[in-house]
Amino acid sequence: MKLSSSIELSKTHKIQTSQKARGLPLRLILVLPFVVQIFGAVGLVGYLSFKNGQQAVNDLADRLIDKSSDLVAKHLDNYLETPGKINQINLDAIELGLLNLKDFKMTGHYFWKQLQAFPDVSFIQYALKTGEFSGAGRYLPGQGVTIDEISAATNWKDYTYATDSRGNRIKTLVVDDEYNPKSEAWYTNTVKVGKPIWSPVYNWDGEALKGYIAINATRPIYDANNRLVGVAGIDLLLSGISDFLQQLKISPTAKTFIIERDGFLIGSSSTEKPFVLVKGEAKRLSALNSSDAQVQLTAKYIKQKFSSFQEIKKEQKFNFQT
């Protein structure tokens, strides 16, 4: 009796299973494995395509960054080489007797002419051991290129003259009786090292010039007996360097900035000035405190990665998100 019941239960189970199997459509049973394979293949191909596409985009971005960096470096090299070339041209003219350093009207007019050919330069000058000084530059708003002179003819005061369209002096704009070029770092440092150098970044002297910060490419002037005569220099205003960087059309979203080893800005392609005015006097601005988010975050990332800007010894490339 028990055996018979077991057999009947077994038959009943088989019949139910068979009925369930017969309930699945044959089409689904045949197609499902192929669908799974197709989805798997499509998913794999999509994943590989995404990875390859991402790699291609990264490679393209790297090439664009390299190209942009090379372009910026080339422009900057040309820009920063200009002051040294002008100094060399002027020293050659002195050695050939074409430029008389005691003829201040002639040298001022000569520098005025040079500034027409080199519009990115802010000031061209020289100071003699005697304290005499001659220069020309563009820095007074609305005055174009002006000419400066310190000599016995100006009673040893710094006279700044307005000029006409031919570079002739037409009137006196400013008289500064305190300016002494021989006390300036661009003069004293050049005399000390006896070779062409870049001066430290410095504020221009004069009550009307407190908002001007510059860097000067200088070189000593010697006579035929190798005795010091004076120092020649070319000023680049930091604001002028920023203007130059803003003219570099690299990318609508790219930013270029130059900093010193202490983190202070030399120039930036943003509209921000590399200094702030505190009670009318220009104070250097650190990239870490820049009001431009890209500049500030980039500077902070580099500072965090190297602990100090001084530790950067070679060209580096970074990828980071903000």
Side-chain angles (χ1 to χ4, degrees):
M1 183 68 180
K2 291 181 180 179
L3 180 60
S4 175
S5 298
S6 297
I7 291 173
E8 288 176 0
L9 289 172
S10 178
K11 286 180 179 180
T12 302
H13 176 72
K14 288 181 179 179
I15 291 170
Q16 291 175 348
T17 303
S18 177
Q19 287 175 344
K20 288 182 179 180
R22 284 199 299 268
L24 290 174
L26 181 60
R27 181 180 299 175
L28 181 60
I29 295 173
L30 294 175
V31 172
L32 186 60
F34 295 101
V35 171
V36 172
Q37 291 181 30
I38 292 171
F39 271 110
V42 170
L44 180 61
V45 170
Y47 173 77
L48 293 175
S49 298
F50 171 76
K51 294 297 289 184
N52 290 336
Q54 190 177 47
Q55 184 62 46
V57 169
N58 290 338
D59 291 343
L60 178 60
D62 285 342
R63 289 198 297 270
L64 288 174
I65 290 172
D66 290 340
K67 184 177 181 180
S68 298
S69 298
D70 291 343
L71 183 60
V72 170
K74 185 179 296 184
H75 278 292
L76 279 175
D77 286 344
N78 291 334
Y79 180 76
L80 296 175
E81 282 176 1
T82 298
K85 290 179 179 179
I86 297 174
N87 276 335
Q88 184 60 59
I89 290 171
N90 292 342
L91 259 68
D92 290 342
I94 294 168
E95 290 178 4
L96 292 171
L98 302 176
L99 194 62
N100 181 1
L101 297 181
K102 288 291 186 177
D103 189 341
F104 302 108
K105 286 192 175 182
M106 185 270 290
T107 55
H109 198 184
Y110 176 78
F111 294 153
W112 185 96
K113 286 284 189 181
Q114 281 189 321
L115 285 164
Q116 311 309 309
F118 300 98
D120 292 326
V121 171
S122 302
F123 204 86
I124 304 175
Q125 65 202 325
Y126 67 87
L128 303 180
K129 284 177 59 179
T130 58
E132 294 163 308
F133 174 81
S134 179
R138 49 172 69 86
Y139 58 93
L140 293 179
Q143 295 297 332
V145 177
T146 57
I147 292 174
D148 280 69
E149 178 183 336
I150 299 177
S151 66
T154 66
N155 198 26
W156 302 100
K157 298 178 182 180
D158 182 11
Y159 272 62
T160 302
Y161 300 94
T163 60
D164 61 18
S165 60
R166 294 180 175 272
N168 300 307
R169 306 179 188 191
I170 54 177
K171 66 177 180 179
T172 302
L173 294 174
V174 181
V175 177
D176 184 353
D177 57 2
E178 295 183 355
Y179 181 61
N180 177 13
K182 292 180 62 179
S183 67
E184 296 286 327
W186 64 268
Y187 183 94
T188 57
N189 289 346
T190 307
V191 171
K192 183 178 180 179
V193 300
K195 63 180 181 179
I197 59 171
W198 281 95
S199 75
V201 176
Y202 69 102
N203 287 52
W204 279 9
D205 279 346
E207 187 65 29
L209 305 177
K210 285 187 175 181
Y212 294 88
I213 298 181
I215 187 168
N216 196 314
T218 62
R219 64 181 304 159
I221 305 171
Y222 296 103
D223 62 15
N225 297 316
N226 204 34
R227 292 175 299 195
L228 182 71
V229 174
V231 173
I234 311 293
D235 271 312
L236 294 176
L237 288 174
L238 296 198
S239 57
I241 297 175
S242 292
D243 291 342
F244 168 76
L245 293 177
Q246 290 166 17
Q247 294 170 10
L248 299 181
K249 305 299 182 183
I250 304 301
S251 165
T253 58
K255 292 286 175 64
T256 304
F257 60 98
I258 306 172
I259 61 174
E260 292 191 277
R261 292 288 182 179
D262 55 11
F264 285 104
L265 281 166
I266 292 292
S268 168
S269 62
S270 71
T271 56
E272 176 185 53
K273 292 183 178 180
F275 58 86
V276 292
L277 291 177
V278 179
K279 295 182 179 179
E281 187 171 353
K283 299 292 185 181
R284 303 283 305 282
L285 179 65
S286 171
L288 297 169
N289 298 323
S290 171
S291 62
D292 186 288
Q294 282 181 274
V295 173
Q296 182 187 121
L297 292 173
T298 302
K300 286 182 176 179
Y301 174 84
I302 295 173
K303 178 75 179 298
Q304 183 179 20
K305 186 175 181 65
F306 289 93
S307 73
S308 169
F309 296 114
Q310 303 282 353
E311 298 300 318
I312 303 176
K313 305 298 183 182
K314 60 182 180 179
E315 181 178 328
Q316 302 281 345
K317 184 185 296 184
F318 309 110
N319 289 313
F320 68 98
Q321 294 181 342
T322 59

